[in-house]
Amino acid sequence: MVNSYLRERSSKDWKKSEKHGAAEWLAERWTSIALIVLTGWALWSAYGLMGQGYDAALAFLRMPLNAGLMALTFVITVWHTYMGLNANVLDYFPNSRLIKLVSFIFCLLLLIAALGGLFLAFKV
C-alpha cells in the first residue's frame, strides 16, 4: 500500500528548495564534520595545557599551526552558526529582511570578537 502511494506521486508533488537548499545542506554537514575534528583538537590541546598556566597557553597559541587551527575553528563555528540561524529565521520568518540582517550582524560581531581575541593573544 505504501509503495503504490509513493509510485503514484510524481516529483512535482515533492517540496523543492526555492533557492539553494542542497548546497546549504552540504555546507552544514561539512562544517559539522570539520567542527567535530577541530573541537576534538581543541579539547585535546586544552587537556594538555591544564595546570600549566597562562604563559603556557599563550605560548601554545603563538605557534602558527595552533593559531591557524584556532582561527579556523572560530571561522567555521561562526559560519555554521550563521547557517543555522539563517535556516531558523527562514523557517519562522520567511519574509523578514530585518531579522536576517540582525542574525548576519550578530554572527559578524561574533567572528570579529573571536578573531580579535586571537589577535590580542599574539600582541601580548
Side-chain angles (χ1 to χ4, degrees):
M1 180 170 187
V2 172
N3 289 335
S4 64
Y5 171 74
L6 290 177
R7 279 190 218 129
E8 289 175 13
R9 291 192 67 177
S10 70
S11 64
K12 297 174 195 168
D13 295 334
W14 300 103
K15 182 181 176 187
K16 295 186 177 58
S17 175
E18 295 176 6
K19 296 180 182 172
H20 38 78
E24 286 183 1
W25 185 87
L26 282 172
E28 288 172 1
R29 296 318 173 260
W30 282 112
T31 56
S32 297
I33 292 168
L35 283 175
I36 289 170
V37 173
L38 289 169
T39 302
W41 167 81
L43 289 173
W44 183 262
S45 300
Y47 180 74
L49 288 170
M50 267 188 346
Q52 294 185 19
Y54 181 73
D55 292 331
L58 277 180
F60 175 80
L61 280 179
R62 285 187 177 141
M63 290 183 191
L65 177 65
N66 294 333
L69 287 174
M70 190 62 72
L72 188 64
T73 302
F74 292 150
V75 169
I76 291 177
T77 299
V78 171
W79 183 23
H80 188 78
T81 302
Y82 173 72
M83 287 188 294
L85 277 173
N86 198 28
N88 286 324
V89 166
L90 287 175
D91 284 347
Y92 294 107
F93 308 100
N95 298 322
S96 177
R97 290 184 181 178
L98 178 64
I99 295 177
K100 290 178 195 175
L101 179 65
V102 168
S103 69
F104 175 76
I105 290 172
F106 169 75
C107 288
L108 187 63
L109 290 175
L110 184 63
L111 181 63
I112 290 169
L115 294 178
L118 191 61
F119 176 76
L120 289 176
F122 272 98
K123 290 296 180 184
V124 171

